[in-house]
């Protein structure tokens, strides 16, 4: 009989915004890469239209580096409408299947294969496209610019209603930098697992972003603040994560899922830290790094197995 302790440790892998290093971000065409690579699941962002449709798009406005109108013209930055000011039918007229040539975005992701004709999808469509996969759903609200989106409470309610319709609560981790979203979600659906996102700029402005939590009350230790929120997971920016923080998070019973882990050096560093999973724009390269380390890729169901 094989000693269970001798089996390779597994690590979860999620494509960031679908898999934006390979295919257009937050599109059905991009989410197809998740299945082809047999990943644990996908991370993606959601917003809310004026007619209360939950859509999958990273920015509160249409992104002019990816959006073209019906005539094929690139959207001017000053003309980019807010999602919350558009009906879903209006958003569906834009093509988001290619990076604007010459943009900084295009330079960052030269391996992204275009998918002309790709549209901004609904959350309903993405859940269906990712059938059987774990979902990391990031709700985009901005406490420093509250006029850009619906309220955290309204956003959380709309997302949860969609997840309930698809019976997807159990395979979803709800993410937010704005921790008011996580508090609102807990009040609506206590069984939905939540994950506290952090970045250097949100930590610097902690009173604004962390839902009223006083970081000083926890000795400045983010894992302690996440645990106090009642979340099951902490998702820090990989570049600032320290191994001592991973150890502390694990001691508190938290999962650790760093985001935008994209290079060989970063893969190896995060794996060496013992993180529970990685969120990557290049999940193809991350998968290779996991194999080189002698680890197993966590199958879908990772979220369902998390403490909750």
């Amino acid at each position: 009989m094989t000693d269970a302790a001798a089996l390779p440790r597994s690590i979860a892998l999620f494509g960031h915004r679908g898999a934006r290093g390979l295919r257009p971000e937050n599109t059905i065409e991009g989410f197809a890469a998740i299945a082809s690579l047999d990943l644990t699941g996908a991370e993606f962002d959601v917003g809310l239209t004026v007619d209360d449709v939950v859509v999958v798009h990273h920015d509160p406005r249409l992104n002019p580096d990816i959006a073209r109108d019906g005539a094929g013209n690139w959207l001017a930055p000053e003309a980019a409408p807010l999602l919350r000011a558009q009906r879903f039918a209006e958003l569906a007229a834009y093509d988001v299947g290619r990076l604007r040539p010459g943009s900084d975005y295009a330079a960052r992701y030269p391996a992204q294969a275009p998918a002309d004709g790709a549209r901004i999808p609904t959350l309903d469509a993405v859940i269906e496209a990712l059938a059987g996969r774990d979902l990391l759903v990031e709700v985009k609200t901005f406490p420093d610019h509250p006029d850009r989106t619906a309220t955290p409470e309204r956003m959380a309610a709309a997302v949860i209603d969609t997840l309930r319709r698809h019976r997807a609560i159990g395979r979803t981790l709800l993410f937010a930098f704005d921790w008011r979203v996580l508090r609102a979600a807990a009040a609506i659906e206590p069984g939905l697992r939540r994950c506290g996102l952090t970045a250097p700029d949100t930590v610097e402005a902690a009173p604004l972003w962390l839902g009223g939590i006083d970081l000083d009350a926890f000795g400045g230790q983010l894992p302690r603040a996440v645990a106090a929120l009642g979340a099951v997971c902490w998702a820090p920016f990989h570049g600032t994560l320290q191994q001592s923080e991973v150890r502390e998070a694990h001691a508190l019973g938290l999962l650790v899922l760093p985001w935008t882990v994209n290079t060989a050096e970063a893969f190896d560093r995060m794996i060496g830290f013992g993180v529970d999973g990685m969120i990557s724009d290049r999940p193809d390269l991350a998968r290779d790094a996991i194999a080189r380390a002698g680890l197993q890729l966590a199958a879908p169901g990772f979220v369902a197995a998390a403490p909750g």
Side-chain angles (χ1 to χ4, degrees):
M1 184 174 179
T2 302
D3 181 1
L7 293 175
R9 180 173 63 87
S10 66
I11 185 168
L13 181 57
F14 301 91
H16 182 237
R17 304 192 199 179
R20 71 169 169 170
L22 301 171
R23 299 288 279 166
E25 69 169 68
N26 287 331
T27 62
I28 297 299
E29 292 80 358
F31 292 119
I34 304 300
S36 65
L37 291 167
D38 199 21
L39 305 182
T40 312
E43 183 274 351
F44 53 88
D45 316 278
V46 295
L48 192 65
T49 65
V50 70
D51 51 345
D52 290 327
V53 177
V54 184
V55 293
V56 176
H57 191 68
H58 178 266
D59 303 287
R61 299 181 181 275
L62 279 172
N63 184 345
D65 282 343
I66 64 174
R68 289 172 286 162
D69 64 20
N73 300 310
W74 291 100
L75 193 62
E78 62 273 13
L82 287 167
L83 301 185
R84 69 170 299 186
Q86 297 281 291
R87 299 180 68 82
F88 176 66
E90 294 173 302
L91 290 180
Y94 292 92
D95 188 327
V96 292
R98 179 181 291 269
L99 295 173
R100 182 193 289 264
S103 65
D104 289 343
Y105 196 163
R108 289 203 309 274
Y109 301 103
Q112 187 188 106
D116 292 323
R119 306 295 171 177
I120 294 174
T122 63
L123 177 57
D124 291 279
V126 171
I127 292 171
E128 292 174 1
L130 291 168
R133 306 283 166 182
D134 288 1
L135 310 172
L136 309 187
V137 182
E138 182 183 344
V139 177
K140 305 296 287 191
T141 56
F142 303 88
D144 52 343
H145 294 285
D147 58 316
R148 293 182 179 176
T149 69
T151 64
E153 294 78 12
R154 186 176 166 197
M155 293 276 281
V159 170
I160 289 168
D161 181 62
T162 306
L163 294 171
R164 284 173 172 169
R165 286 202 310 272
H166 292 270
R167 299 183 179 179
I169 294 290
R171 62 184 175 106
T172 300
L173 264 175
L174 191 76
F175 279 54
F177 285 107
D178 180 356
W179 289 8
R180 295 177 303 166
V181 171
L182 304 180
R183 290 191 186 281
I188 299 166
E189 178 52 73
L192 177 60
R193 294 170 175 85
R194 295 165 295 135
C195 186
L197 271 162
T198 58
D201 56 342
T202 65
V203 174
E204 186 176 353
L208 184 64
W209 285 91
L210 303 190
I213 284 181
D214 180 4
L215 197 54
D216 290 339
F218 300 97
Q221 300 301 307
L222 284 166
R224 297 179 193 174
V226 174
L229 184 68
V232 304
C233 169
W234 176 36
F237 172 55
H238 77 91
T240 56
L241 181 62
Q242 301 298 315
Q243 185 155 34
S244 59
E245 294 176 311
V246 177
R247 292 192 185 110
E248 181 173 27
H250 284 165
L252 292 166
L254 298 173
L255 299 172
V256 181
L257 297 178
W259 47 273
T260 58
V261 189
N262 293 336
T263 66
E265 179 182 4
F267 298 142
D268 292 345
R269 183 169 177 262
M270 293 298 100
I271 291 170
F273 279 5
V275 299
D276 300 283
M278 298 184 289
I279 302 167
S280 178
D281 295 308
R282 290 298 305 267
D284 54 332
L285 302 181
R287 181 172 177 153
D288 291 343
I290 290 169
R292 286 196 306 271
L295 304 182
Q296 294 178 337
L297 185 63
F302 169 83
V303 167

